[in-house]
Amino acid sequence: MDGPRRAVSCAELAGAARAPLLDDRGRIVDPLLVVDLDTPLPDGPVRSDRVLVGITTADTLDEGHRNLAATLDLTLGPATLAASGRMFAAAGDPETLRAAAEANPQAALVLAQVLRTTGDLPVPAALDAESLAYSTLLGGGEFRRWLARRGPRALPPASADPVLVTRNGDVLRITLNRPERRNAYGRQLRDALVDALGIAELDATVVRIVLDGAGPSFCAGGDLAEFGTTPDLATAHFVRTRAGAGLPLHRLSARVEARVHGSCVGAGIELPAFAGRVIAHPATNFRLPETGMGLIPGAGGTVSIPRRIGRWRTLLLALSGAPLDAATALDWGLVDELSASS
């Protein structure tokens, strides 16, 4: 690509959206369209299988353009516009997002499709939809390419106490305890976390659950050494949805306070986002890198995070893979409070 491509006007959007998505070999063509919202509105409603990112120089949008922006996957504009609704963001370059979509077009399109869908579903059904999509991408060429670049890795050694559980009166404290792996969300830690949450589900005298992490980071996401190791894609789906921590955290959300710090990557923010309250150290940063691996967030992030910040800003985080600082996370509602302590 030689320089940025022209954004399509609103009037051109319908035609561009209807252009064939696949070439004669089944490859995706132009997975992301940039839409100029400073142009007159289209004549009718627009639907597209492509990722649609609006751009505007306006500080405010009239009702028609605002309604159109709500149907897009994200709109980038001035900070004053970004402050007016969750469908807008002030950060990011549309060409950076286009490049990310073209690098992993299957993952980018599946991400947009899932985000458009899960907000209208109950959380258990939304988690199933996310997991089915994730399993589809596990079988795709983009993830295989990432695995080949990563190369073989030894599985993590066993840990005697991957999660620490303490009780003080009516407060149950659950601490992720693999600091040597930055509390990566691997099989052992996942199973121990689910067991710990099960205590609270069975004991109504647990009034509050405090979830935190030992070491320099709350959780660095899925343990990369375990990626691609499930025996088959169907098993991977059932493990994610029936043995994962997302659903019990959702069921317990009113009692859960997550205290995060350091680098919260992938599952390291997908899971805390289910909590009723999230407190972050001011130096915390958040990142969703999965699309760059040919995947989408798979620990519940397409369900938990949009319910906090909207599907539009979730798409920005997941498609760009860029870190989000704690102050912006607070402004967006991804976290509820900043604290000097982790």
Side-chain angles (χ1 to χ4, degrees), residues 2-45:
D2 297 324
R5 280 175 260 170
R6 185 180 69 87
V8 300
S9 69
C10 293
E12 295 169 322
L13 177 57
R18 285 195 300 268
L21 179 67
L22 304 178
D23 66 14
D24 56 6
R25 296 177 60 186
R27 295 173 301 191
I28 294 169
V29 179
D30 294 332
L32 185 148
L33 295 177
V34 179
V35 184
D36 185 355
L37 292 181
D38 292 340
T39 59
L41 287 167
D43 292 333

mmCIF file of all heavy atoms in Angstrom, residues 2-45:
data_model
loop_
_atom_site.group_PDB
_atom_site.id
_atom_site.type_symbol
_atom_site.label_atom_id
_atom_site.label_comp_id
_atom_site.label_asym_id
_atom_site.label_seq_id
_atom_site.Cartn_x
_atom_site.Cartn_y
_atom_site.Cartn_z
ATOM 1 N N ASP A 2 0.658 2.136 -0.941
ATOM 2 C CA ASP A 2 1.449 3.356 -1.060
ATOM 3 C C ASP A 2 0.684 4.503 -0.428
ATOM 4 O O ASP A 2 -0.128 5.167 -1.080
ATOM 5 C CB ASP A 2 1.751 3.646 -2.525
ATOM 6 C CG ASP A 2 2.603 2.565 -3.169
ATOM 7 O OD1 ASP A 2 3.477 2.020 -2.467
ATOM 8 O OD2 ASP A 2 2.375 2.266 -4.353
ATOM 9 N N GLY A 3 0.930 4.756 0.858
ATOM 10 C CA GLY A 3 0.264 5.846 1.547
ATOM 11 C C GLY A 3 -1.162 5.498 1.900
ATOM 12 O O GLY A 3 -1.708 4.482 1.482
ATOM 13 N N PRO A 4 -1.819 6.375 2.675
ATOM 14 C CA PRO A 4 -3.199 6.110 3.095
ATOM 15 C C PRO A 4 -4.158 6.143 1.918
ATOM 16 O O PRO A 4 -4.017 6.938 0.995
ATOM 17 C CB PRO A 4 -3.483 7.236 4.097
ATOM 18 C CG PRO A 4 -2.505 8.313 3.760
ATOM 19 C CD PRO A 4 -1.289 7.617 3.239
ATOM 20 N N ARG A 5 -5.143 5.253 1.950
ATOM 21 C CA ARG A 5 -6.162 5.236 0.908
ATOM 22 C C ARG A 5 -7.278 6.213 1.243
ATOM 23 O O ARG A 5 -7.512 6.514 2.404
ATOM 24 C CB ARG A 5 -6.725 3.822 0.772
ATOM 25 C CG ARG A 5 -5.839 2.898 -0.033
ATOM 26 C CD ARG A 5 -6.390 1.500 -0.032
ATOM 27 N NE ARG A 5 -5.678 0.689 0.927
ATOM 28 C CZ ARG A 5 -6.059 -0.527 1.279
ATOM 29 N NH1 ARG A 5 -7.152 -1.045 0.772
ATOM 30 N NH2 ARG A 5 -5.355 -1.218 2.141
ATOM 31 N N ARG A 6 -7.978 6.658 0.249
ATOM 32 C CA ARG A 6 -9.076 7.592 0.452
ATOM 33 C C ARG A 6 -10.200 6.921 1.225
ATOM 34 O O ARG A 6 -10.554 5.771 0.980
ATOM 35 C CB ARG A 6 -9.591 8.073 -0.911
ATOM 36 C CG ARG A 6 -10.665 9.150 -0.834
ATOM 37 C CD ARG A 6 -11.111 9.544 -2.226
ATOM 38 N NE ARG A 6 -11.842 8.475 -2.877
ATOM 39 C CZ ARG A 6 -13.162 8.283 -2.743
ATOM 40 N NH1 ARG A 6 -13.874 9.071 -1.942
ATOM 41 N NH2 ARG A 6 -13.754 7.304 -3.385
ATOM 42 N N ALA A 7 -10.761 7.662 2.159
ATOM 43 C CA ALA A 7 -11.951 7.175 2.852
ATOM 44 C C ALA A 7 -13.147 7.262 1.903
ATOM 45 O O ALA A 7 -13.211 8.157 1.049
ATOM 46 C CB ALA A 7 -12.202 8.001 4.104
ATOM 47 N N VAL A 8 -14.086 6.339 2.040
ATOM 48 C CA VAL A 8 -15.301 6.410 1.233
ATOM 49 C C VAL A 8 -16.247 7.416 1.869
ATOM 50 O O VAL A 8 -16.275 7.587 3.097
ATOM 51 C CB VAL A 8 -15.986 5.038 1.093
ATOM 52 C CG1 VAL A 8 -15.058 4.042 0.432
ATOM 53 C CG2 VAL A 8 -16.463 4.510 2.438
ATOM 54 N N SER A 9 -16.999 8.111 1.036
ATOM 55 C CA SER A 9 -18.004 9.030 1.559
ATOM 56 C C SER A 9 -19.185 8.231 2.093
ATOM 57 O O SER A 9 -19.338 7.039 1.804
ATOM 58 C CB SER A 9 -18.470 9.980 0.460
ATOM 59 O OG SER A 9 -19.224 9.253 -0.514
ATOM 60 N N CYS A 10 -20.036 8.894 2.866
ATOM 61 C CA CYS A 10 -21.237 8.216 3.362
ATOM 62 C C CYS A 10 -22.095 7.722 2.206
ATOM 63 O O CYS A 10 -22.650 6.621 2.253
ATOM 64 C CB CYS A 10 -22.039 9.164 4.246
ATOM 65 S SG CYS A 10 -21.220 9.608 5.784
ATOM 66 N N ALA A 11 -22.202 8.535 1.142
ATOM 67 C CA ALA A 11 -23.011 8.141 -0.008
ATOM 68 C C ALA A 11 -22.420 6.929 -0.728
ATOM 69 O O ALA A 11 -23.153 6.108 -1.279
ATOM 70 C CB ALA A 11 -23.155 9.312 -0.970
ATOM 71 N N GLU A 12 -21.085 6.825 -0.739
ATOM 72 C CA GLU A 12 -20.426 5.700 -1.401
ATOM 73 C C GLU A 12 -20.433 4.423 -0.559
ATOM 74 O O GLU A 12 -20.138 3.339 -1.073
ATOM 75 C CB GLU A 12 -18.971 6.051 -1.718
ATOM 76 C CG GLU A 12 -18.796 7.168 -2.734
ATOM 77 C CD GLU A 12 -17.359 7.642 -2.806
ATOM 78 O OE1 GLU A 12 -16.693 7.704 -1.740
ATOM 79 O OE2 GLU A 12 -16.902 7.960 -3.920
ATOM 80 N N LEU A 13 -20.772 4.558 0.721
ATOM 81 C CA LEU A 13 -20.625 3.435 1.639
ATOM 82 C C LEU A 13 -21.465 2.242 1.238
ATOM 83 O O LEU A 13 -21.002 1.096 1.288
ATOM 84 C CB LEU A 13 -20.975 3.883 3.067
ATOM 85 C CG LEU A 13 -20.934 2.799 4.143
ATOM 86 C CD1 LEU A 13 -19.579 2.134 4.200
ATOM 87 C CD2 LEU A 13 -21.295 3.406 5.504
ATOM 88 N N ALA A 14 -22.701 2.492 0.817
ATOM 89 C CA ALA A 14 -23.578 1.367 0.470
ATOM 90 C C ALA A 14 -22.978 0.536 -0.654
ATOM 91 O O ALA A 14 -22.941 -0.697 -0.579
ATOM 92 C CB ALA A 14 -24.961 1.880 0.075
ATOM 93 N N GLY A 15 -22.462 1.185 -1.685
ATOM 94 C CA GLY A 15 -21.860 0.449 -2.789
ATOM 95 C C GLY A 15 -20.594 -0.268 -2.367
ATOM 96 O O GLY A 15 -20.371 -1.429 -2.726
ATOM 97 N N ALA A 16 -19.755 0.406 -1.590
ATOM 98 C CA ALA A 16 -18.518 -0.223 -1.138
ATOM 99 C C ALA A 16 -18.799 -1.398 -0.223
ATOM 100 O O ALA A 16 -18.105 -2.426 -0.262
ATOM 101 C CB ALA A 16 -17.658 0.816 -0.417
ATOM 102 N N ALA A 17 -19.825 -1.275 0.617
ATOM 103 C CA ALA A 17 -20.162 -2.355 1.537
ATOM 104 C C ALA A 17 -20.684 -3.581 0.803
ATOM 105 O O ALA A 17 -20.507 -4.716 1.254
ATOM 106 C CB ALA A 17 -21.196 -1.860 2.549
ATOM 107 N N ARG A 18 -21.341 -3.355 -0.363
ATOM 108 C CA ARG A 18 -21.903 -4.479 -1.122
ATOM 109 C C ARG A 18 -20.874 -5.154 -2.023
ATOM 110 O O ARG A 18 -21.152 -6.221 -2.587
ATOM 111 C CB ARG A 18 -23.084 -4.003 -1.972
ATOM 112 C CG ARG A 18 -24.356 -3.732 -1.188
ATOM 113 C CD ARG A 18 -25.548 -3.624 -2.117
ATOM 114 N NE ARG A 18 -25.385 -2.548 -3.087
ATOM 115 C CZ ARG A 18 -25.822 -1.307 -2.905
ATOM 116 N NH1 ARG A 18 -26.441 -0.986 -1.785
ATOM 117 N NH2 ARG A 18 -25.648 -0.381 -3.826
ATOM 118 N N ALA A 19 -19.707 -4.549 -2.200
ATOM 119 C CA ALA A 19 -18.685 -5.155 -3.054
ATOM 120 C C ALA A 19 -18.324 -6.537 -2.511
ATOM 121 O O ALA A 19 -18.334 -6.755 -1.289
ATOM 122 C CB ALA A 19 -17.453 -4.262 -3.103
ATOM 123 N N PRO A 20 -18.017 -7.506 -3.390
ATOM 124 C CA PRO A 20 -17.719 -8.862 -2.918
ATOM 125 C C PRO A 20 -16.637 -8.870 -1.850
ATOM 126 O O PRO A 20 -15.593 -8.230 -1.994
ATOM 127 C CB PRO A 20 -17.262 -9.573 -4.194
ATOM 128 C CG PRO A 20 -17.920 -8.831 -5.309
ATOM 129 C CD PRO A 20 -17.957 -7.396 -4.856
ATOM 130 N N LEU A 21 -16.907 -9.596 -0.772
ATOM 131 C CA LEU A 21 -15.951 -9.685 0.333
ATOM 132 C C LEU A 21 -14.828 -10.662 0.017
ATOM 133 O O LEU A 21 -13.704 -10.483 0.482
ATOM 134 C CB LEU A 21 -16.678 -10.128 1.605
ATOM 135 C CG LEU A 21 -15.820 -10.300 2.857
ATOM 136 C CD1 LEU A 21 -15.279 -8.953 3.339
ATOM 137 C CD2 LEU A 21 -16.620 -10.974 3.973
ATOM 138 N N LEU A 22 -15.125 -11.686 -0.780
ATOM 139 C CA LEU A 22 -14.158 -12.750 -1.053
ATOM 140 C C LEU A 22 -13.767 -12.751 -2.520
ATOM 141 O O LEU A 22 -14.611 -12.499 -3.403
ATOM 142 C CB LEU A 22 -14.744 -14.113 -0.688
ATOM 143 C CG LEU A 22 -15.259 -14.288 0.744
ATOM 144 C CD1 LEU A 22 -15.861 -15.680 0.914
ATOM 145 C CD2 LEU A 22 -14.156 -14.051 1.759
ATOM 146 N N ASP A 23 -12.496 -13.053 -2.792
ATOM 147 C CA ASP A 23 -12.092 -13.234 -4.181
ATOM 148 C C ASP A 23 -12.384 -14.676 -4.607
ATOM 149 O O ASP A 23 -12.991 -15.449 -3.855
ATOM 150 C CB ASP A 23 -10.619 -12.857 -4.374
ATOM 151 C CG ASP A 23 -9.652 -13.791 -3.642
ATOM 152 O OD1 ASP A 23 -10.067 -14.884 -3.197
ATOM 153 O OD2 ASP A 23 -8.469 -13.429 -3.514
ATOM 154 N N ASP A 24 -11.985 -15.047 -5.820
ATOM 155 C CA ASP A 24 -12.359 -16.365 -6.342
ATOM 156 C C ASP A 24 -11.624 -17.505 -5.641
ATOM 157 O O ASP A 24 -11.922 -18.672 -5.877
ATOM 158 C CB ASP A 24 -12.139 -16.439 -7.858
ATOM 159 C CG ASP A 24 -10.715 -16.104 -8.267
ATOM 160 O OD1 ASP A 24 -9.851 -15.923 -7.375
ATOM 161 O OD2 ASP A 24 -10.464 -16.014 -9.484
ATOM 162 N N ARG A 25 -10.681 -17.187 -4.755
ATOM 163 C CA ARG A 25 -9.999 -18.219 -3.970
ATOM 164 C C ARG A 25 -10.434 -18.199 -2.508
ATOM 165 O O ARG A 25 -9.854 -18.879 -1.665
ATOM 166 C CB ARG A 25 -8.479 -18.029 -4.065
ATOM 167 C CG ARG A 25 -7.926 -18.212 -5.482
ATOM 168 C CD ARG A 25 -6.438 -17.952 -5.537
ATOM 169 N NE ARG A 25 -5.679 -18.853 -4.663
ATOM 170 C CZ ARG A 25 -4.372 -18.746 -4.453
ATOM 171 N NH1 ARG A 25 -3.684 -17.759 -5.031
ATOM 172 N NH2 ARG A 25 -3.749 -19.592 -3.663
ATOM 173 N N GLY A 26 -11.480 -17.426 -2.207
ATOM 174 C CA GLY A 26 -12.005 -17.359 -0.850
ATOM 175 C C GLY A 26 -11.233 -16.450 0.074
ATOM 176 O O GLY A 26 -11.463 -16.464 1.288
ATOM 177 N N ARG A 27 -10.331 -15.637 -0.478
ATOM 178 C CA ARG A 27 -9.568 -14.713 0.349
ATOM 179 C C ARG A 27 -10.339 -13.407 0.541
ATOM 180 O O ARG A 27 -11.033 -12.960 -0.374
ATOM 181 C CB ARG A 27 -8.204 -14.435 -0.286
ATOM 182 C CG ARG A 27 -7.297 -15.660 -0.365
ATOM 183 C CD ARG A 27 -6.031 -15.368 -1.148
ATOM 184 N NE ARG A 27 -6.316 -14.930 -2.516
ATOM 185 C CZ ARG A 27 -5.418 -14.816 -3.477
ATOM 186 N NH1 ARG A 27 -4.148 -15.104 -3.219
ATOM 187 N NH2 ARG A 27 -5.760 -14.405 -4.683
ATOM 188 N N ILE A 28 -10.197 -12.823 1.718
ATOM 189 C CA ILE A 28 -10.939 -11.609 2.058
ATOM 190 C C ILE A 28 -10.324 -10.404 1.358
ATOM 191 O O ILE A 28 -9.103 -10.221 1.357
ATOM 192 C CB ILE A 28 -10.947 -11.403 3.577
ATOM 193 C CG1 ILE A 28 -11.737 -12.538 4.251
ATOM 194 C CG2 ILE A 28 -11.543 -10.052 3.950
ATOM 195 C CD1 ILE A 28 -11.587 -12.591 5.753
ATOM 196 N N VAL A 29 -11.189 -9.587 0.751
ATOM 197 C CA VAL A 29 -10.768 -8.382 0.036
ATOM 198 C C VAL A 29 -11.225 -7.162 0.833
ATOM 199 O O VAL A 29 -12.402 -7.043 1.189
ATOM 200 C CB VAL A 29 -11.389 -8.340 -1.380
ATOM 201 C CG1 VAL A 29 -10.974 -7.065 -2.107
ATOM 202 C CG2 VAL A 29 -11.006 -9.577 -2.172
ATOM 203 N N ASP A 30 -10.311 -6.255 1.112
ATOM 204 C CA ASP A 30 -10.628 -5.005 1.810
ATOM 205 C C ASP A 30 -11.437 -5.274 3.088
ATOM 206 O O ASP A 30 -12.623 -4.932 3.177
ATOM 207 C CB ASP A 30 -11.412 -4.055 0.894
ATOM 208 C CG ASP A 30 -10.596 -3.574 -0.285
ATOM 209 O OD1 ASP A 30 -9.357 -3.499 -0.154
ATOM 210 O OD2 ASP A 30 -11.195 -3.271 -1.332
ATOM 211 N N PRO A 31 -10.820 -5.859 4.115
ATOM 212 C CA PRO A 31 -11.578 -6.205 5.327
ATOM 213 C C PRO A 31 -12.068 -5.000 6.119
ATOM 214 O O PRO A 31 -12.993 -5.128 6.910
ATOM 215 C CB PRO A 31 -10.566 -7.020 6.150
ATOM 216 C CG PRO A 31 -9.226 -6.551 5.680
ATOM 217 C CD PRO A 31 -9.397 -6.263 4.215
ATOM 218 N N LEU A 32 -11.462 -3.815 5.901
ATOM 219 C CA LEU A 32 -11.863 -2.635 6.673
ATOM 220 C C LEU A 32 -12.058 -1.458 5.739
ATOM 221 O O LEU A 32 -11.211 -1.186 4.884
ATOM 222 C CB LEU A 32 -10.798 -2.306 7.729
ATOM 223 C CG LEU A 32 -11.087 -1.171 8.703
ATOM 224 C CD1 LEU A 32 -10.442 -1.448 10.066
ATOM 225 C CD2 LEU A 32 -10.598 0.185 8.178
ATOM 226 N N LEU A 33 -13.174 -0.785 5.905
ATOM 227 C CA LEU A 33 -13.460 0.437 5.157
ATOM 228 C C LEU A 33 -13.439 1.625 6.106
ATOM 229 O O LEU A 33 -13.984 1.561 7.211
ATOM 230 C CB LEU A 33 -14.838 0.357 4.493
ATOM 231 C CG LEU A 33 -15.036 -0.699 3.405
ATOM 232 C CD1 LEU A 33 -16.483 -0.662 2.914
ATOM 233 C CD2 LEU A 33 -14.074 -0.474 2.245
ATOM 234 N N VAL A 34 -12.804 2.722 5.665
ATOM 235 C CA VAL A 34 -12.819 3.970 6.410
ATOM 236 C C VAL A 34 -13.897 4.864 5.790
ATOM 237 O O VAL A 34 -13.941 5.050 4.574
ATOM 238 C CB VAL A 34 -11.447 4.666 6.363
ATOM 239 C CG1 VAL A 34 -11.489 5.993 7.119
ATOM 240 C CG2 VAL A 34 -10.371 3.753 6.967
ATOM 241 N N VAL A 35 -14.766 5.411 6.637
ATOM 242 C CA VAL A 35 -15.935 6.160 6.184
ATOM 243 C C VAL A 35 -15.811 7.614 6.638
ATOM 244 O O VAL A 35 -15.627 7.890 7.837
ATOM 245 C CB VAL A 35 -17.232 5.555 6.753
ATOM 246 C CG1 VAL A 35 -18.446 6.277 6.187
ATOM 247 C CG2 VAL A 35 -17.300 4.060 6.476
ATOM 248 N N ASP A 36 -15.917 8.537 5.707
ATOM 249 C CA ASP A 36 -15.793 9.969 5.998
ATOM 250 C C ASP A 36 -17.154 10.500 6.458
ATOM 251 O O ASP A 36 -18.062 10.705 5.639
ATOM 252 C CB ASP A 36 -15.314 10.713 4.746
ATOM 253 C CG ASP A 36 -15.058 12.194 5.010
ATOM 254 O OD1 ASP A 36 -15.346 12.658 6.125
ATOM 255 O OD2 ASP A 36 -14.579 12.869 4.087
ATOM 256 N N LEU A 37 -17.299 10.730 7.740
ATOM 257 C CA LEU A 37 -18.567 11.217 8.279
ATOM 258 C C LEU A 37 -18.748 12.716 8.121
ATOM 259 O O LEU A 37 -19.756 13.268 8.566
ATOM 260 C CB LEU A 37 -18.687 10.828 9.756
ATOM 261 C CG LEU A 37 -18.831 9.335 10.045
ATOM 262 C CD1 LEU A 37 -18.976 9.084 11.534
ATOM 263 C CD2 LEU A 37 -20.007 8.735 9.297
ATOM 264 N N ASP A 38 -17.789 13.370 7.477
ATOM 265 C CA ASP A 38 -17.950 14.791 7.154
ATOM 266 C C ASP A 38 -18.644 14.986 5.805
ATOM 267 O O ASP A 38 -18.666 16.095 5.268
ATOM 268 C CB ASP A 38 -16.585 15.485 7.134
ATOM 269 C CG ASP A 38 -15.956 15.568 8.512
ATOM 270 O OD1 ASP A 38 -16.685 15.446 9.512
ATOM 271 O OD2 ASP A 38 -14.718 15.727 8.594
ATOM 272 N N THR A 39 -19.207 13.927 5.261
ATOM 273 C CA THR A 39 -19.902 13.970 3.969
ATOM 274 C C THR A 39 -21.393 13.702 4.174
ATOM 275 O O THR A 39 -21.796 13.188 5.225
ATOM 276 C CB THR A 39 -19.310 12.925 3.004
ATOM 277 O OG1 THR A 39 -19.442 11.615 3.591
ATOM 278 C CG2 THR A 39 -17.829 13.195 2.751
ATOM 279 N N PRO A 40 -22.230 14.044 3.184
ATOM 280 C CA PRO A 40 -23.681 13.856 3.342
ATOM 281 C C PRO A 40 -24.059 12.394 3.572
ATOM 282 O O PRO A 40 -23.382 11.469 3.119
ATOM 283 C CB PRO A 40 -24.244 14.376 2.014
ATOM 284 C CG PRO A 40 -23.217 15.343 1.525
ATOM 285 C CD PRO A 40 -21.896 14.774 1.943
ATOM 286 N N LEU A 41 -25.167 12.200 4.260
ATOM 287 C CA LEU A 41 -25.628 10.865 4.632
ATOM 288 C C LEU A 41 -26.018 10.042 3.417
ATOM 289 O O LEU A 41 -26.426 10.585 2.376
ATOM 290 C CB LEU A 41 -26.839 10.980 5.559
ATOM 291 C CG LEU A 41 -26.562 11.441 6.995
ATOM 292 C CD1 LEU A 41 -27.866 11.801 7.689
ATOM 293 C CD2 LEU A 41 -25.825 10.348 7.749
ATOM 294 N N PRO A 42 -25.938 8.705 3.517
ATOM 295 C CA PRO A 42 -26.435 7.840 2.449
ATOM 296 C C PRO A 42 -27.960 7.890 2.400
ATOM 297 O O PRO A 42 -28.616 8.365 3.339
ATOM 298 C CB PRO A 42 -25.935 6.453 2.865
ATOM 299 C CG PRO A 42 -25.801 6.525 4.350
ATOM 300 C CD PRO A 42 -25.381 7.937 4.647
ATOM 301 N N ASP A 43 -28.522 7.388 1.307
ATOM 302 C CA ASP A 43 -29.973 7.445 1.130
ATOM 303 C C ASP A 43 -30.722 6.486 2.049
ATOM 304 O O ASP A 43 -31.882 6.727 2.390
ATOM 305 C CB ASP A 43 -30.338 7.120 -0.332
ATOM 306 C CG ASP A 43 -29.871 8.207 -1.276
ATOM 307 O OD1 ASP A 43 -29.764 9.368 -0.825
ATOM 308 O OD2 ASP A 43 -29.612 7.905 -2.461
ATOM 309 N N GLY A 44 -30.090 5.381 2.436
ATOM 310 C CA GLY A 44 -30.784 4.392 3.251
ATOM 311 C C GLY A 44 -29.836 3.707 4.207
ATOM 312 O O GLY A 44 -28.668 4.070 4.317
ATOM 313 N N PRO A 45 -30.337 2.696 4.920
ATOM 314 C CA PRO A 45 -29.496 1.983 5.883
ATOM 315 C C PRO A 45 -28.377 1.210 5.186
ATOM 316 O O PRO A 45 -28.504 0.821 4.021
ATOM 317 C CB PRO A 45 -30.480 1.032 6.584
ATOM 318 C CG PRO A 45 -31.614 0.877 5.623
ATOM 319 C CD PRO A 45 -31.711 2.168 4.890
#
